[in-house]
Amino acid sequence: MPSHLSADHPAAQPPGRGSVDALISQTRRLKGEVDAVRRDTHADGSDPQERWQRALYDLALHQLNDIHAHLAQLRDGPPPVPAAPEPAGGRSVPTPPRHGSLLSRVGSAEWNLLTDEASWSGELYQILGRDPATAPLTLDELPSLVLDEDRVRLTAMVTHCLVDAQPIDGEFRVVRPDGEVRTVHMMGEPVLDADGGTASMWAVLRDVSELRRSQKAVSESRDSLQRDRHRAQTEHRLAVELQEAVLPPWRGALRLPHRGPQALDLAAHCLPSSDGALVGGDWYDALELPDGQTLLSVGDLTGHGVSVTSGMAMLLGALRGMAMAGTAPGQLLSLLNQLLDATVQPALGSAVCCRYRPETRTLTWAQAGHPAPLLFRDGTGRRLRAPQGVLLGATPAAAFEEVHETLEVGDLILLHTDGLESGHAAGVTESANRLLDLAPRLREARTAQDCVRLVVEECAASERQDDACVLVARVTA
């Protein structure tokens, strides 16, 4: 059996899962064969050659167990982590550091209790970092190499062997002359005299420092992954709760509280991303204003997670407050742009803001880098002409143009965020055309909620990298 395998050897490339399974099977079979030979080896303690052979069999089984465990880790990989918001600060999951050999040299020693003499193999001198020209340490001197907190353990191991005449198997840490701390695995057994008394103790020692360091790194990485997973789940839950607390409820038609006979039938819906793990800054809103007009808006703050959702809540709160004060759509977007530019963590966002005046059925709207609303009338649909407007947060002095559209009873206005689309230029046009093709079916729908349901059914099968919102307003009077 090789005594040294290098993790940096050119041939040590990650094999496929099938190859790893084959190696695991071979390792398991070899363990059985070694154990069978070991059981057939009988040593009464008098023959040093037999003792050495049996000790090597024991160490071989330890090595094979370690190899089996590492192969299982290689096959199974780290614990699964679902798609989740980006870690705070862009931190990546830590990678276990690479070390040298996981299977290192083995040394042997024998301590004669009658003469107080000791003999060490050359390998043991290398493991303990001692000069081979110096005398080997006696059992009484050996604890001087051991860390204070491990000396009690070593003493108990030796006492158990010498007093109870039982084999020992354990680990302790030693400090080499250069100050380096190494972990040593010792397997020992008593050598009995003719009267059954303990005459000496014989042991083999293996340096398992790299193996234990590797196992610790794997354990710490697993713990770190689990902490990141828990953090991601917590952040996702908080983002969803914040989004649901801020946005109007979409399970049913949107109700404007103080309106008598409604001029608009309203409904909205949020669609999660395809994997359901990313919560972004998308919003929709319908707000009854003091002058009898209705504010309709949709928007999207770039990014994902709690910080983005809280930023969206800030923008939506500012939008509502300024709209209640009578601010027109173009000026409202200009002020939101200045607000976003002045935040501690600058971000980009897009939005559409509309004011609907029921007396004249006039829709006045402005946009900031956002898809234009779609107008459906008499079974056909078209995109409204988009006024000038850049992304929110792109430039401090941006101006936003307003346009006016006169609506008719039965008209349907559809506002949506770009999460409905693939994100590419061709995808924007294709997605809008797909929605416009729904015009005949939307004409037959009885309510705004029915219209939203059609849109959701149409878009539900699409692969969405982001979440999305859709808002439908139907002119009823």
Side-chain angles (χ1 to χ4, degrees), residues 143 145-152 173-175 181:
L145 301 181
V146 181
L147 283 180
D148 292 344
E149 52 266 40
D150 289 356
R151 287 178 183 169
V152 173
R173 290 166 296 172
V174 299
V175 182
V181 176

Side-chain angles (χ1 to χ4, degrees), residues 455-475:
V455 173
V456 170
E457 290 173 355
E458 177 67 21
C459 298
S462 302
E463 239 355 90
R464 286 184 309 281
Q465 299 176 356
D466 201 355
D467 47 1
C469 295
V470 57
L471 171 65
V472 167
R474 189 170 190 173
V475 180

Side-chain angles (χ1 to χ4, degrees), residues 12 65 258 436:
N65 283 331
H258 303 299
L436 291 174

Side-chain angles (χ1 to χ4, degrees), residues 309-434:
T309 310
S310 61
M312 174 271 289
M314 176 196 70
L315 284 183
L316 186 54
L319 184 151
R320 289 169 173 170
M322 290 185 289
M324 293 294 287
T327 308
Q331 181 62 18
L332 196 155
L333 290 179
S334 179
L335 293 173
L336 286 182
N337 180 68
Q338 295 178 38
L339 174 62
L340 198 58
D341 182 70
T343 56
V344 176
Q345 296 180 335
L348 294 174
S350 67
V352 165
C353 183
C354 310
R355 266 181 174 261
Y356 178 69
R357 182 184 295 274
E359 295 85 357
T360 59
R361 301 195 189 96
T362 302
L363 186 76
T364 301
W365 69 284
Q367 65 85 24
H370 200 88
L374 305 180
L375 171 62
F376 296 87
R377 176 181 293 168
D378 296 330
T380 61
R382 64 180 175 89
R383 285 186 293 269
L384 297 184
R385 182 186 70 83
Q388 295 296 319
V390 299
L391 286 171
L392 298 175
T395 177
F400 298 88
E401 180 187 3
E402 292 181 357
V403 292
H404 307 278
E405 188 76 27
T406 301
L407 304 180
E408 299 177 1
V409 174
D411 283 355
L412 185 145
I413 294 292
L414 190 152
L415 286 71
H416 64 90
T417 59
D418 58 5
L420 288 175
E421 301 153 353
S422 66
H424 303 291
V428 173
T429 301
E430 180 182 350
S431 179
N433 290 339
R434 187 167 67 249

Side-chain angles (χ1 to χ4, degrees), residues 24 39 51 150 187 207 219 296 339 374 420 436 473:
I24 290 176
R39 288 196 301 269
R51 290 202 307 267
D150 289 356
M187 299 174 60
D207 184 349
S219 176
L296 305 176
L339 174 62
L374 305 180
L420 288 175
L436 291 174

Side-chain angles (χ1 to χ4, degrees), residues 19-91:
S19 300
V20 175
D21 286 336
L23 288 172
I24 290 176
S25 297
Q26 293 174 14
T27 304
R28 188 181 299 114
R29 183 168 57 254
L30 185 56
K31 284 169 55 181
E33 294 173 355
V34 172
D35 190 45
V37 175
R38 173 184 173 277
R39 288 196 301 269
D40 291 339
T41 301
H42 301 286
D44 58 8
S46 59
D47 188 342
Q49 181 64 25
E50 290 183 349
R51 290 202 307 267
W52 175 251
Q53 289 179 350
R54 188 171 65 178
L56 285 181
Y57 286 135
D58 290 337
L59 283 173
L61 288 174
H62 275 281
Q63 300 271 32
L64 289 171
N65 283 331
D66 293 339
I67 293 175
H68 188 275
H70 280 286
L71 288 173
Q73 291 172 351
L74 181 62
R75 177 193 62 192
D76 300 336
V81 180
E86 300 169 357
R91 294 186 298 104

